[in-house]
Amino acid sequence: MRHDTWLDALAGELRRHGVAPETAGNVLAETAAHLWESGDDPVRAFGPPQAYAATVADSVRADLPRRAQAGPVRLEVDGITKRYGRRTVLREVSLSVRAGEVAAVVGANGSGKSTFLGICAGLVSPDRGEVRVHGSLGYCPQGGGTSDFLVPDEHFVLVGAGRGMSRADARDTGRAGAAALDWDPRDGTQARHLSGGTRQKLNLVMAGLGDPDVLLLDEPYQGFDQGSYLDFWQQVRRWRDSGKAIVVVTHLLNTRDGVDIVLDLGKRREERA
Amino acid sequence: MRKTFTVAETALREIARRRGVLAILVLFPLAFYLSRRDSHLGQSIRFVCLGLGWALSTAALFAGSAARSIEPRLRLSGYRGHHLYLGRLVALWTVGLLLAAPYYVLIRIDTDGVRYGAIGLIMVLTVAVAAPFGLALSAALPRELEGMLVLLIIVGLQMMMDPADSASRLLPFWFSREIGTYAVDHTDGGYLTRGLLHAVVCLAALLAVVAIASGYRLRQRSHLRFVARR
């Protein structure tokens, strides 16, 4: 692989892993200098750019100072119990998420992760318990949630109008959110023609429109490739750093994702990082 | 108001992009009109109105079913139930009037000696009733196939039942026959009054069903409380 191509790919991957621009610049300069001096093939010397960027990101993140303390409570879930017929899916589940925190809801298939999020969003009624949301709510469903015959900009305008945003503001904010996920929605493709992963990006951008205080994301990365998956967690970190409380239903929890709270519905307990 | 118009605009865009469906919607009443054109003048007019009502009800049924997956998230994004169903109704009524206009012109050109104003009134009332009728069916029967079969039965009954039978007054487009008789056979104003009353009652009842179903499905559940930000 040519040096320039490999270095460009490395730059993109470092950005996806959330490596600070200054640090990424230093890494790129050092790597380029080594390659020019040695004349080595970059793949042979450093491996694929994705893998090298992940290694660099891990080593850099270990040196990062702890983030500022979380803010006030934004989402309070108290003693939720849900039964379907005789089967109890959720029993006395509680969770508290503050501004600037990310909670991951994990558990095996059928453990009630999506039901739990649906209850938090007020789409499903529990048999017992209550949910308090301090502020506004954004929700990204696991599937659906888009309209087949509308283009992405029209989705942004539709959701934005509900949030009180102007057309231009909703469209610009939506496009900026899409760009953060490495997606350009301006070509006007109707949602029915988008790939599964791109459709989920649309879903995710819609959830973040209007700056909600609490974001509920139900496995939003379905159909994402590895790069988009990293972009997604990068976006989650940006939301967290801007003071949002985020709950992500996931079964792909990676140690690098850096969540603050893990609610394991299999074990029915909450752990704080 | 802005939220309702945004929903109406996007619903219109969705319908406009279903070109195949639009073509069928446009031609559907024509087939009804031509099927009875040689028999009796009143029958062809009655059938074109029924075709119009059937076509628009079907479009409303599918529009209502297609919206089910996005409406909960729109509710969470700040819309109320009435923004959503009123927006969709405005879009469907617009499509219905655009659909009816060429048929009104056709009747003006193709027939003589009828009360054109009353025929225009039948078409407007048919459009007004058909849109909430389709939405009410989609609310009551979430699966499209079931909704479609019920629609087929109701419109089939509308064509076959004797309009003089009191049971036929329970059908949503009964008024078209009454006002049609007034328009074609130049009967007294009683037909017009009965037809108008029936249409208004049907419209009110169907709007109530749509509003109640939407309010129930998109209600804020009692376990969830929104508290002001600290």
Side-chain angles (χ1 to χ4, degrees):
Chain A
M1 184 186 271
R2 282 174 49 85
H3 289 184
D4 291 348
T5 313
W6 190 88
L7 286 167
D8 283 346
L10 179 62
E13 291 299 321
L14 288 171
R15 181 178 52 76
R16 280 185 154 151
H17 281 275
V19 176
E22 192 182 336
T23 310
N26 291 339
V27 170
L28 285 168
E30 281 177 26
T31 313
H34 173 86
L35 290 174
W36 287 119
E37 282 168 15
S38 65
D40 282 349
D41 176 68
V43 176
R44 193 174 300 157
F46 294 102
Q50 296 88 344
Y52 187 58
T55 309
V56 170
D58 274 348
S59 63
V60 171
R61 197 159 290 137
D63 301 332
L64 282 177
R66 183 82 186 118
R67 287 182 303 110
Q69 210 161 10
V73 172
R74 289 275 178 260
L75 176 71
E76 293 176 271
V77 182
D78 191 15
I80 292 292
T81 296
K82 176 70 182 175
R83 293 185 197 90
Y84 286 116
R86 288 183 178 177
R87 184 168 164 251
T88 302
V89 181
L90 301 167
R91 189 191 301 276
E92 294 293 326
V93 180
S94 297
L95 174 70
S96 176
V97 189
R98 293 174 172 276
E101 283 189 332
V102 180
V105 181
V106 300
N109 290 341
S111 61
K113 300 187 295 292
S114 292
T115 300
F116 177 73
L117 213 68
I119 289 170
C120 291
L123 303 174
V124 179
S125 292
D127 292 295
R128 205 162 53 229
E130 68 171 19
V131 176
R132 284 181 296 280
V133 175
H134 299 262
S136 55
L137 198 61
Y139 174 64
C140 177
Q142 193 176 9
T146 57
S147 186
D148 280 353
F149 288 85
L150 295 181
V151 304
D153 277 354
E154 289 160 356
H155 282 88
F156 302 149
V157 169
L158 182 59
V159 172
R163 298 270 190 213
M165 300 167 78
S166 71
R167 276 170 184 269
D169 192 17
R171 200 171 44 234
D172 293 346
T173 309
R175 286 178 180 177
L181 296 170
D182 200 23
W183 169 48
D184 183 356
R186 284 175 300 177
D187 61 354
T189 306
Q190 291 174 24
R192 66 195 166 119
H193 296 309
L194 296 174
S195 69
T198 310
R199 212 170 163 136
Q200 275 306 92
K201 287 181 183 179
L202 172 59
N203 246 329
L204 196 60
V205 175
M206 287 161 74
L209 275 179
D211 223 15
D213 300 295
V214 178
L215 275 159
L216 304 173
L217 314 175
D218 191 357
E219 295 196 43
Y221 44 74
Q222 300 250 345
F224 282 11
D225 54 30
Q226 173 68 10
S228 299
Y229 179 77
L230 295 172
D231 289 336
F232 160 69
W233 281 105
Q234 182 67 13
Q235 179 64 30
V236 168
R237 281 190 285 273
R238 273 195 290 271
W239 277 331
R240 178 190 65 185
D241 294 345
S242 67
K244 297 188 189 314
I246 301 152
V247 181
V248 187
V249 165
T250 179
H251 62 268
L252 293 171
L253 194 59
N254 187 313
T255 52
R256 284 201 301 271
D257 296 337
V259 301
D260 303 285
I261 306 162
V262 177
L263 174 66
D264 189 336
L265 291 179
K267 297 175 186 169
R268 294 201 182 91
R269 71 172 185 225
E270 179 184 322
E271 291 170 2
R272 283 187 172 264
Chain B
M1 193 60 96
R2 188 175 150 243
K3 289 177 183 175
T4 303
F5 278 119
T6 306
V7 174
E9 181 202 325
T10 46
L12 268 175
R13 286 179 191 273
E14 285 178 284
I15 296 169
R17 284 175 188 150
R18 294 169 183 251
R19 292 195 188 115
V21 174
L22 270 180
I24 294 168
L25 280 180
V26 170
L27 295 175
F28 197 80
L30 182 65
F32 276 58
Y33 182 77
L34 294 177
S35 70
R36 289 299 175 108
R37 190 171 173 274
D38 295 333
S39 56
H40 181 258
L41 179 66
Q43 282 290 69
S44 64
I45 293 174
R46 182 175 166 234
F47 267 63
V48 80
C49 291
L50 273 183
L52 190 65
W54 195 356
L56 192 62
S57 303
T58 309
L61 170 69
F62 280 84
S65 300
R68 285 182 87 91
S69 78
I70 198 170
E71 283 189 344
R73 93 169 309 159
L74 293 178
R75 178 77 178 87
L76 283 174
S77 304
Y79 286 93
R80 304 286 296 276
H82 69 269
H83 295 134
L84 300 174
Y85 70 76
L86 283 178
R88 221 161 286 290
L89 278 172
V90 168
L92 287 163
W93 281 331
T94 307
V95 170
L97 290 176
L98 291 173
L99 200 65
Y103 287 104
Y104 181 72
V105 174
L106 175 70
I107 291 169
R108 291 269 335 201
I109 295 168
D110 199 38
T111 59
D112 292 315
V114 296
R115 289 169 162 154
Y116 295 113
I119 288 169
L121 180 67
I122 300 172
M123 289 186 162
V124 169
L125 291 175
T126 301
V127 167
V129 170
F133 177 48
L135 287 185
L137 275 180
S138 78
L141 302 163
R143 293 186 183 88
E144 287 170 353
L145 181 60
E146 291 165 6
M148 194 61 219
L149 288 173
V150 171
L151 187 61
L152 197 66
I153 291 167
I154 291 175
V155 180
L157 283 173
Q158 189 88 62
M159 288 175 176
M160 289 183 292
M161 279 180 77
D162 178 5
D165 187 340
S166 56
S168 68
R169 296 181 186 212
L170 296 172
L171 297 170
F173 300 113
W174 178 80
F175 64 86
S176 68
R177 167 69 183 218
E178 288 297 285
I179 305 176
T181 305
Y182 169 78
V184 177
D185 299 332
H186 296 272
T187 54
D188 63 77
Y191 283 86
L192 177 65
T193 311
R194 279 195 300 278
L196 262 175
L197 186 66
H198 182 265
V200 169
V201 169
C202 270
L203 179 60
L206 290 167
L207 285 176
V209 169
V210 171
I212 291 167
S214 170
Y216 178 75
R217 192 164 56 85
L218 301 172
R219 71 193 182 283
Q220 186 174 316
R221 316 279 170 142
S222 59
H223 73 277
L224 176 65
R225 282 201 298 125
F226 283 94
V227 186
R229 253 178 72 157
R230 287 181 217 161

